[in-house]
Amino acid sequence: MADLRHSSLRYELRADLEEERIRQKIAERTSEETIRIYSLRLFLNCIVLTVLGACFYAIYRATIFSQEHMKKEIDKMVFGENLLILYLPSIVITLANFITPIIFAKIIHYEDYSPGFEIRLTILRCVFMRLATICVLVFTLGSEITSCDNYSCELCGYNQKLYPCWETQVGQEMYKLMIFDLIIILAVTLFVDFPRKFLVTYCSSWKLFRCWGQQEFAIPDNVLGIVYGQTICWMGAFFSPLLPAVATLKFIIIFYVKEISLLYTCRPSPRQFRASNSNFFFLLVLLIGLCLAIIPLTISMTRIPSSKACGPFTNFNTTWEVVPKMVSTFPSSLQSLVHGITSEAFAVPFFMIICLVMFYFIALAGAHQRVVVQLREQLSLESRDKRYLIQKLTEAQRDMRNRLD
């Protein structure tokens, strides 16, 4: 434990030195270099937006194509064709999530950011990519479910001809995303990481394998995979109740697979970062995933009519209608308590108290940040004093040797 703590402190010191070097480099930039780097960043961000737009459009077209061709009878399709059409959105999303982090990792090297900000920006881009792909899929399915042609929505308020049980269809899509994500992780580990380690270790005489190098343990990609899987679980748990059990089993498998891959195929990343700041950022990303999962779920529960062919809400216009009906069966005292909690008289003061507490913690975090900055400056001054003293001591020892000689 002491060695681990010492190693962590050493990495933190390296990160501080790297951050200090980057800040000094930024301060020494000329106006021409500043204009050049900002122009390059603008151009690279345009490339990032283009990649994101292309991925979103590909997911949209794949979902539309898959849903339109589901109208064909299964018996008229070849087995491979049927499987490809049913899983086409999941395949496109998985490929996009696999390719875009590689592109973003290559782009970020040319933007000249500090190591900590570089990791956070890469995670932010990849998180937006992965979570937005799920939202694109869900909203595309929602538009297809509520799209009406030839009076297909007159009876139920949704396209009951193509989607007699639309909740089941959405749950199936979430389940396919979860399974495909697991398949890709296992395939990359078994058929890419281990062969790469073998080739780099035993065929190092080849220039191609030396340039390829050993696999790095990419913290952003691994954290992103956890957030992505958890978001799918949150979004699909309502439509597929067994999905959390599948997600739990998936995370257990991934944990041991990643552990083996880390110990035997990966090398530490040369770019260090502060664990304290990154932990907060990872939790913030997870919170963003939860919020994005709640939005389409809330819309589907309150706006889209529930399925009339299956499910526990066939007697309700929307899924949300079961909540007030259930509350009406409570005792009168409990009903009064529920209505009081959900009224404006309770919500407004509660919101104000929450805001005050939030402002307090923000002010407290700002004060702690100022103390950290002061302590960092003090450490920097002390290190300069130590270097000065060591330099003087070295000169004194050199003079003493010259006199003795």
Side-chain angles (χ1 to χ4, degrees), residues 225-226 229-230 233 246-256:
I226 297 174
Q230 186 62 54
C233 179
V246 176
T248 302
L249 181 61
K250 171 198 166 185
F251 286 136
I252 292 174
I253 295 173
I254 288 177
F255 174 80
Y256 289 104

Side-chain angles (χ1 to χ4, degrees), residues 57-73:
Y57 182 74
I59 294 167
Y60 171 77
R61 293 306 307 172
T63 306
I64 296 296
F65 180 83
S66 176
Q67 299 303 312
E68 288 178 351
H69 285 73
M70 282 176 59
K71 299 177 183 178
K72 297 180 180 180
E73 296 182 3

Side-chain angles (χ1 to χ4, degrees), residues 75-228:
D75 297 336
K76 296 181 180 179
M77 295 183 183
V78 184
F79 174 74
E81 181 187 1
N82 179 29
L83 192 65
L84 179 62
I85 289 176
L86 290 177
Y87 284 83
L88 184 60
S90 300
I91 294 173
V92 174
I93 290 176
T94 304
L95 289 176
N97 292 336
F98 179 73
I99 295 172
T100 50
I102 300 175
I103 299 175
F104 295 157
K106 297 296 182 182
I107 290 176
I108 197 69
H109 291 306
Y110 299 98
E111 294 183 284
D112 198 15
Y113 290 117
S114 63
F117 185 78
E118 183 176 309
I119 289 178
R120 289 191 290 270
L121 182 59
T122 304
I123 293 177
L124 188 61
R125 287 172 176 172
C126 296
V127 162
F128 179 77
M129 171 63 199
R130 290 207 175 194
L131 300 185
T133 54
I134 304 175
C135 293
V136 170
L137 173 64
V138 171
F139 282 110
T140 305
L141 285 175
S143 64
E144 288 293 305
I145 292 169
T146 55
S147 63
C148 304
D149 53 350
N150 298 326
Y151 306 100
S152 58
C153 299
E154 285 186 348
L155 295 176
C156 303
Y158 64 95
N159 194 341
Q160 76 274 9
K161 183 178 180 180
L162 185 58
Y163 302 97
C165 297
W166 65 266
E167 293 95 342
T168 302
Q169 182 69 26
V170 176
Q172 289 174 352
E173 293 296 332
M174 296 296 106
Y175 174 79
K176 287 185 285 188
L177 282 177
M178 186 75 70
I179 295 300
F180 256 89
D181 187 51
L182 176 61
I183 292 174
I184 289 296
I185 292 174
L186 294 178
V188 170
T189 303
L190 295 176
F191 302 111
V192 177
D193 293 345
F194 279 98
R196 180 176 178 177
K197 171 68 174 179
F198 178 83
L199 293 174
V200 171
T201 303
Y202 297 100
C203 302
S204 58
S205 59
W206 293 21
K207 185 177 180 181
L208 176 62
F209 296 141
R210 287 201 308 269
C211 295
W212 194 12
Q214 191 175 345
Q215 174 72 21
E216 289 184 9
F217 183 73
I219 293 178
D221 293 341
N222 289 277
V223 173
L224 188 58
I226 297 174
V227 175
Y228 175 70

